[in-house]
Amino acid sequence: MENNKRFAVIGSGSWATAIVKILLNNCNKVNWWVREPEVMENLMLYHHNPIYLSSVEFDIERLNISNDINEIIEVSDVIIFCIPSAFLHQSLSPLKRDSLKGKLILSAIKGIVPEYNKIVAEYFNTEFNISFENIGIISGPSHAEEVALEKLTYLTVASQNQDFAEYIVSKINCRYIFASVSDDIFGTEYSAVLKNVVAIANGICIALGYGDNFQAVLISNAIQEIKRFVDEVHPINRDINSSVYLGDLLVTSYSQFSRNRTFGNMIGKGYSVKFAQLEMKMIAEGYYAVKCIKEINDEHGVDMPITTAVYNILYSGFSPENEIKRLTKKLS
């Protein structure tokens, strides 16, 4: 694969900002779509994202920043999408169906496109006619805040195209990033979606006073639940204990940086969903994901007690205390 491909990052949240930082270790220039004019202006003037990871300073001469998504995509060969899944379809509405023709697509989004109940790879395949050979997933146990601090982080690039995956690995590996390849697009995406749901459950349990002992039981049952689901929807040989699956689940469930755990904690303390979302000012992907997973699983019938409990609390108005108590009787 040619080494001079032009990279673009779509989005300006914390993970998008972290990925731009990572790419600049190996790319001379990065194209960056920033929707908000005020964020774009601040980046141009002060070389910082004023909202997310504001400690990261950018060499502005190496960035091509624009709030015109068509312009950024037109001048790029590899497009990395970092928009929350709930807003992906809306954000891409200005694009024509053939805008992404011939482009290599990477998703760093850990969610499901709710309008379609599809993981991001499926969405690009069906809505933009992108071959799975030209789609990749960046995942793994990673918080943008630690990337900003250059703490060692392990990532996985999943694609059915080995050359593509290895090329991306070469562009993101650096002193503090260790990346490896996988061919499991579906398992990688679905496990990344489900770990956000589990993190909400864990946050609820912490707020209700459950301790470390119970959290260990919850997470060990959760990885089994994830395995049952991904093996049903995409049965291939995979090691669910690999860092891209289990590691991602652990860091999202336990870390202080986890917005999904924080969201769950607020729900467990009695906040309404709406108030918790307003208070956080950040997107908890698991809120949207649990409804999509529940609807997808209605067709598959996988035993998913943790996902069901979170859905019942967030969407059916069940008492967190009573629903978690019922859940405790289904775990082992």
Side-chain angles (χ1 to χ4, degrees), residues 20-38:
V20 172
K21 172 183 169 66
I22 291 169
L23 287 173
L24 287 172
N25 287 288
N26 294 306
C27 298
N28 292 326
K29 194 151 193 167
V30 173
N31 301 319
W32 192 358
W33 178 70
V34 175
R35 181 177 63 85
E36 303 88 347
E38 62 276 15

Side-chain angles (χ1 to χ4, degrees), residues 195-210 218 252-253 255-273 275-277 280 282-287 290 309-310 313-314 318-321 324:
K195 56 93 180 179
N196 286 332
V197 175
V198 175
I200 291 176
N202 198 42
I204 293 171
C205 292
I206 292 168
L208 293 174
Y210 290 87
L218 178 71
T252 306
S253 297
S255 175
Q256 61 179 324
F257 296 124
S258 171
R259 64 188 70 177
N260 287 280
R261 192 184 85 157
T262 300
F263 177 75
N265 194 266
M266 296 172 77
I267 297 299
K269 288 178 178 177
Y271 286 68
S272 69
V273 167
F275 193 83
Q277 290 173 320
M280 284 182 61
M282 296 177 77
I283 301 299
E285 292 270 22
Y287 169 72
V290 70
V310 174
I313 292 167
L314 298 183
F318 286 28
S319 157
E321 185 175 7
I324 295 301

Side-chain angles (χ1 to χ4, degrees), residues 16 18 24-25 52 91-92 115 144 166 171 177 180 196 226 233 235 239 254 259 261 280 298 305 314-315 329:
L24 287 172
N25 287 288
Y52 301 104
S91 297
L92 301 190
E115 295 91 340
E166 290 178 353
K171 290 298 183 181
I177 299 293
S180 57
N196 286 332
I226 291 171
V233 297
D239 181 3
Y254 290 137
R259 64 188 70 177
R261 192 184 85 157
M280 284 182 61
D298 284 345
L314 298 183
Y315 287 90
K329 297 174 182 178

Side-chain angles (χ1 to χ4, degrees), residues 83-95 113-116 123 127-128:
I83 304 167
S85 61
F87 307 123
L88 179 64
H89 183 66
Q90 177 186 354
S91 297
L92 301 190
S93 59
L95 296 182
V113 184
E115 295 91 340
Y116 296 88
Y123 171 77
E127 297 306 306
F128 289 93

Side-chain angles (χ1 to χ4, degrees), residues 131-332:
S131 165
F132 282 114
E133 289 288 308
N134 291 334
I135 297 174
I137 310 300
I138 299 177
S139 192
S142 54
H143 284 303
E145 293 82 359
E146 290 201 350
V147 172
L149 296 170
E150 300 189 357
K151 292 186 178 291
L152 182 60
T153 299
Y154 286 63
L155 298 175
T156 296
V157 179
S159 176
Q160 295 177 1
N161 183 337
Q162 184 87 359
D163 289 340
F164 176 31
E166 290 178 353
Y167 175 71
I168 299 305
V169 163
S170 74
K171 290 298 183 181
I172 63 177
N173 268 339
C174 61
R175 178 174 54 80
Y176 54 91
I177 299 293
F178 180 85
S180 57
V181 302
S182 166
D183 63 356
D184 185 15
I185 289 180
F186 288 85
T188 296
E189 279 217 77
Y190 273 121
S191 65
V193 169
L194 283 163
K195 56 93 180 179
N196 286 332
V197 175
V198 175
I200 291 176
N202 198 42
I204 293 171
C205 292
I206 292 168
L208 293 174
Y210 290 87
D212 293 347
N213 294 345
F214 178 73
Q215 288 179 64
V217 173
L218 178 71
I219 302 309
S220 60
N221 277 264
I223 195 62
Q224 296 173 52
E225 183 168 314
I226 291 171
K227 177 175 171 54
R228 287 195 299 271
F229 183 81
V230 297
D231 284 354
E232 168 67 22
V233 297
H234 191 62
I236 67 169
N237 184 31
R238 61 172 63 88
D239 181 3
I240 202 68
N241 295 318
S242 297
S243 64
V244 71
Y245 312 108
L246 178 58
D248 205 12
L249 170 65
L250 292 173
V251 76
T252 306
S253 297
Y254 290 137
S255 175
Q256 61 179 324
F257 296 124
S258 171
R259 64 188 70 177
N260 287 280
R261 192 184 85 157
T262 300
F263 177 75
N265 194 266
M266 296 172 77
I267 297 299
K269 288 178 178 177
Y271 286 68
S272 69
V273 167
K274 192 167 188 178
F275 193 83
Q277 290 173 320
L278 290 170
E279 186 78 7
M280 284 182 61
K281 300 177 183 177
M282 296 177 77
I283 301 299
E285 292 270 22
Y287 169 72
Y288 301 96
V290 70
K291 183 175 185 291
C292 298
I293 290 292
K294 195 266 184 189
E295 291 172 355
I296 293 169
N297 193 45
D298 284 345
E299 300 177 12
H300 295 280
V302 177
D303 181 30
M304 303 184 76
I306 299 170
T307 300
T308 300
V310 174
Y311 176 84
N312 287 342
I313 292 167
L314 298 183
Y315 287 90
S316 299
F318 286 28
S319 157
E321 185 175 7
N322 292 339
E323 188 62 15
I324 295 301
K325 187 175 290 185
R326 280 191 288 269
L327 176 63
T328 62
K329 297 174 182 178
K330 298 176 182 179
L331 305 182
S332 59

